[in-house]
Amino acid sequence: MPAFAFVGIYLIYPAVDTFRVSLYNANTTRFIGLENYKTVFTNRAMQDVLLNNILWIVLFTVLVLALGLLFAVLAGRVRYEPVAKSIIFIPMAISFVAAAVIWRFMYAYQPPGFTQYGLLNAAATAVGLPPTAWLNSLNIPYTNIVPPAPFHTNNVAIIAVGVWMWTGFAMVVLSAGLKGISKEVLEAARVDGANEFQIFRRVTLPLISPTIALVATTMVIQALKIFDIVWVMTAGNYNTDVIATMMYKQLFNYQNFGQAGALAVILFFAIVPFIFISINRFKTQEENR
Amino acid sequence: MTVKTLDEPAVAPSSRPGLKSIGRFFARIPLHIVIIVLALLWMTPTVGLLVSSFRPANLISTTGWWTAFQTPFQFTIENYSSVL
């Protein structure tokens, strides 16, 4: 019974109240139905926010998985595996804010003709290319082409920071999965005459697919609720807002409680399916044990 | 790079004479290069932060952290002493 009371006060009441607030106007004085939700899906700026978040989900998850798997496979084949893996894992141990500060050193931009103290632009000017404002520019570097909504340079630059941080996590989990594959299976495949690539494609990959799925769902949830990196790098300016930063702005900058509530509810319902997938997989894994 | 003996269990020992292991070492050089290059890339931003933490504030915002290794060396522990 006390457990019910705690869950009720700490979880259910705030959730229900957020939903109630999302149906009201900015200062919760007038009921406006689903108007806030309509704004999220029809307003141009809001649509960009959703698209940015979708780009985060796809690009971030795919890159983290691909690079994590690459490191796990490659590092597992050399003697200095612990050192190599530690180096990749270090960013995981750094706070998001510190990581963003680090990457501001990488992306820092000065107009042409001034000393570039950002590493990327210094490298670009050293080989004769013009500097790029990585965190402000929407166009593809060194061209004037502005790609459609979420595919802006600054979005990709910020996502790269997230990838840099989370690849270590994916690598460690996937590496543990790779180590769990029994040597006999791989040996059998070699005896049957499979080459290394075939073994990876037909034996290793299917065997660690549960681990890959686990990392993928974790990364999707991570990308959905991403806030800190975006907030410290650009504060969501220059079209880099994601759902969480927009929610913060609606709540604290614009004092629009209804709109913030609607975004919170949308974010919640976007994440719920992935949580269920994770829980289900965990359950079936426990049963198979 | 030192020569490394390799421990891949599936290959029967009899099918691997000494000459072959030298060939395998050279065949694996690309693997080492890929790992080392990626590890260095991954470290660069963190090293930048570490180096910057020992530089005076006015230099951090005017020159790149990699220039700290050129003469004159202008390192400082002032950042740390003001935090502690």
Side-chain angles (χ1 to χ4, degrees):
Chain A
M1 206 45 205
F4 274 109
F6 271 121
V7 171
I9 292 169
Y10 283 110
L11 283 175
I12 296 171
Y13 168 70
V16 171
D17 196 53
T18 304
F19 181 66
R20 186 185 67 84
V21 167
S22 75
L23 302 174
Y24 280 73
N25 66 349
N27 51 7
T28 330
T29 47
R30 190 165 48 82
F31 183 84
I32 54 170
L34 295 174
E35 203 57 39
N36 287 321
Y37 293 89
K38 203 181 135 201
T39 311
V40 174
F41 291 108
T42 52
N43 180 294
R44 189 60 218 281
M46 285 291 194
Q47 282 175 340
D48 280 358
V49 170
L50 295 182
L51 287 174
N52 281 348
N53 227 133
I54 291 170
L55 183 74
W56 263 94
I57 292 169
V58 176
L59 200 59
F60 175 76
T61 308
V62 168
L63 286 179
V64 165
L65 271 178
L67 285 169
L69 190 59
L70 180 76
F71 279 128
V73 171
L74 292 184
R77 288 159 175 266
V78 293
R79 280 252 194 99
Y80 47 91
E81 179 184 3
V83 180
K85 279 164 77 175
S86 314
I87 289 171
I88 308 300
F89 196 75
I90 286 172
M92 248 346 258
I94 297 172
S95 89
F96 282 91
V97 178
V101 172
I102 290 175
W103 278 86
R104 290 184 72 109
F105 282 127
M106 297 291 283
Y107 289 142
Y109 166 80
Q110 293 289 304
F114 290 81
T115 313
Q116 299 293 337
Y117 59 89
L119 186 58
L120 290 183
N121 281 328
T125 41
V127 297
L129 287 165
T132 310
W134 293 100
L135 296 174
N136 309 21
S137 59
L138 310 180
N139 48 319
I140 301 169
Y142 317 120
T143 67
N144 287 323
I145 306 160
V146 177
F151 304 102
H152 297 146
T153 298
N154 50 9
N155 264 334
V156 178
I158 298 171
I159 291 174
V161 180
V163 172
W164 176 76
M165 291 200 78
W166 281 93
T167 298
F169 170 82
M171 176 202 66
V172 167
V173 178
L174 291 170
S175 173
L178 288 173
K179 300 252 158 77
I181 296 173
S182 79
K183 294 255 189 312
E184 285 84 22
V185 181
L186 297 177
E187 200 170 334
R190 281 204 188 89
V191 169
D192 287 348
N195 63 32
E196 285 300 312
F197 180 74
Q198 284 171 324
I199 291 171
F200 178 73
R201 175 74 188 73
R202 307 270 175 206
V203 181
T204 311
L205 221 46
L207 280 174
I208 59 161
S209 62
T211 318
I212 293 178
L214 170 85
V215 177
T217 39
T218 315
M219 289 306 112
V220 169
I221 293 172
Q222 196 56 237
L224 271 166
K225 64 195 181 92
I226 190 73
F227 174 83
D228 18 32
I229 295 180
V230 181
W231 193 251
V232 185
M233 299 292 281
T234 61
N237 295 323
Y238 321 110
N239 282 0
T240 53
D241 260 322
V242 288
I243 297 177
T245 58
M246 189 39 112
M247 184 164 72
Y248 181 96
K249 282 183 178 172
Q250 290 292 345
L251 190 59
F252 293 103
N253 298 9
Y254 312 141
Q255 304 276 315
N256 191 338
F257 285 59
Q259 193 64 75
L263 282 166
V265 171
I266 289 168
L267 189 56
F268 174 73
F269 279 107
I271 291 178
V272 161
F274 294 100
I275 290 175
F276 270 104
I277 294 170
S278 287
I279 293 173
N280 264 338
R281 185 168 309 107
F282 187 69
K283 266 192 198 148
T284 49
Q285 261 175 8
E286 287 295 298
E287 281 160 13
N288 292 343
R289 215 165 260 255
Chain B
M1 219 178 288
T2 52
V3 178
K4 286 179 171 62
T5 47
L6 310 151
D7 40 18
E8 294 221 53
V11 182
S14 60
S15 72
R16 204 207 287 174
L19 235 164
K20 250 189 180 171
S21 73
I22 297 170
R24 280 188 52 132
F25 166 70
F26 283 109
R28 280 164 56 93
I29 285 179
L31 171 75
H32 294 294
I33 291 174
V34 170
I35 294 177
I36 290 166
V37 165
L38 285 173
L40 287 178
L41 273 179
W42 237 250
M43 271 173 69
T44 313
T46 325
V47 171
L49 182 75
L50 181 69
V51 173
S52 294
S53 75
F54 289 104
R55 303 184 72 211
N58 62 324
L59 282 183
I60 290 176
S61 51
T62 47
T63 56
W65 55 264
W66 56 93
T67 59
F69 300 109
Q70 298 161 357
T71 49
F73 297 109
Q74 288 180 298
F75 290 107
T76 174
I77 54 164
E78 197 189 322
N79 301 323
Y80 284 91
S81 58
S82 67
V83 168
L84 294 175

